[in-house]
Amino acid sequence: GQTVLIVDTDLKRVGIGTGATAPGMVLHVVASTGLAARFDRNTTSTVLTGGSLTTQLFNPAAAAADIGPHLSFYGGPTEVQMGSILVRWNGAATTDSYMMFTTTDAVFGVREKLRITSDGNVGIGTTTPGSVLSVSGNFSTTTGALLATSSGNVGIGKTSPNYKLDVAGTINASGLHIDGNINATNNIYYGGNL
């Protein structure tokens, strides 16, 4: 048969699997087919409490800003980092933490793309989201019907809005307040006072 368990007593490392003959870390699992590892509980509990979690990532360091466990993903024959999920303390108190997601791009390498703060705010392109969803950069819907640019222009039905509100189509409003000039390339219809 083949050797499936290697224990390196000098480096205190364990290799599991037919390819883990020289374990590169404390636990090195290699699978030629199927899943490399699976973690199950022997109960059917679905309550997310400390006693019913399947897997824990633990960092024993004292709580401090930007300290905590993380999970990294690597790929390719040279083991290039593809991204990671990190959970960090906000400071020395063990009551506030945040979660960040990173991915790799050709320009900046591995960098943060999304953050969830301790109060539940989500930031995309920003590390300090001030509302439930904060986006730094252009934002558009799946169909492209709505587009908000980083310069503050909003387009409805426009792919390149040139004004704070740029609409391709008819606007229906119960009220309109304008401080400034009105420039129109088509007709303006009104049913009230000007």
Side-chain angles (χ1 to χ4, degrees):
Q2 295 178 312
T3 301
V4 295
L5 177 64
I6 298 291
V7 179
D8 189 330
T9 56
D10 294 329
L11 298 176
K12 297 179 174 60
R13 296 174 178 175
V14 176
I16 301 175
T18 56
T21 56
M25 52 200 67
V26 175
L27 177 62
H28 190 169
V29 181
V30 176
S32 57
T33 59
L35 296 174
R38 175 174 168 167
F39 302 91
D40 289 332
R41 284 184 54 81
N42 59 359
T43 67
T44 57
S45 172
T46 58
V47 181
L48 292 179
T49 62
S52 62
L53 293 176
T54 299
T55 307
Q56 290 185 354
L57 301 178
F58 177 68
N59 186 327
D66 304 320
I67 297 295
H70 71 270
L71 180 64
S72 293
F73 302 89
Y74 288 79
T78 58
E79 297 186 21
V80 177
Q81 186 174 2
M82 302 167 64
S84 58
I85 302 172
L86 306 92
V87 180
R88 297 287 188 252
W89 296 115
N90 284 330
T94 57
T95 54
D96 297 302
S97 63
Y98 64 90
M99 178 178 285
M100 57 187 285
F101 297 80
T102 71
T103 60
T104 300
D105 63 61
V107 178
F108 298 101
V110 179
R111 66 171 182 165
E112 180 178 349
K113 300 299 188 342
L114 184 144
R115 177 174 296 209
I116 304 174
T117 65
S118 58
D119 53 6
N121 290 345
V122 176
I124 300 175
T126 175
T127 60
T128 56
S131 56
V132 174
L133 178 61
S134 296
V135 180
S136 176
N138 291 355
F139 165 78
S140 65
T141 61
T142 303
T143 60
L146 174 67
L147 172 68
T149 68
S150 57
S151 61
N153 293 342
V154 176
I156 300 177
K158 302 279 286 189
T159 57
S160 300
N162 297 313
Y163 306 96
K164 292 304 177 185
L165 179 60
D166 202 345
V167 180
T170 302
I171 298 174
N172 183 21
S174 58
L176 181 63
H177 179 86
I178 299 174
D179 289 324
N181 298 326
I182 298 177
N183 297 315
T185 57
N186 213 325
N187 297 328
I188 298 177
Y189 301 95
Y190 66 94
N193 297 325
L194 279 179

